Amino acid sequence: MKVKCPTCDKDVVWSNDAPFRPFCSERCKLIDLGDWAAENHRIADKTPIDTVLSEEYLAELEQEFIAQDNDFFKH
């Protein structure tokens, strides 16, 4: 069976003789890994954001900063 390399679209035979499958080479594998590390690839999060919870969380964080005697909120 043949698959396309996700990085360069070169044909790759899916077998034990292709150690980097589905990539054609270590180079293409590392390029893909770098893209994931740079967050160029993401798995979409379809969870709706609870705005009330978010506002409550931000208010709690603000109170923590104020309690820490942080100069940022004193101006």
Side-chain angles (χ1 to χ4, degrees):
M1 176 170 77
K2 288 185 181 180
V3 296
K4 295 280 187 187
C5 174
T7 304
C8 71
D9 287 333
K10 181 179 176 182
D11 285 335
V12 178
V13 177
W14 193 272
S15 72
N16 290 337
D17 295 333
F20 303 109
R21 65 184 181 274
F23 303 98
C24 66
S25 65
E26 183 176 24
R27 177 182 178 273
C28 282
K29 177 182 166 184
L30 292 175
I31 289 171
D32 186 73
L33 179 61
D35 282 343
W36 279 100
E39 296 186 2
N40 294 331
H41 298 306
R42 295 185 194 140
I43 298 172
D45 181 11
K46 297 184 182 191
T47 306
I49 297 172
D50 184 349
T51 55
V52 174
L53 180 59
S54 297
E55 291 300 321
E56 289 174 5
Y57 180 66
L58 290 174
E60 289 175 17
L61 287 176
E62 183 178 2
Q63 291 305 314
E64 284 182 33
F65 271 80
I66 291 170
Q68 293 176 1
D69 200 26
N70 191 324
D71 291 335
F72 181 79
F73 290 102
K74 291 183 179 179
H75 295 249

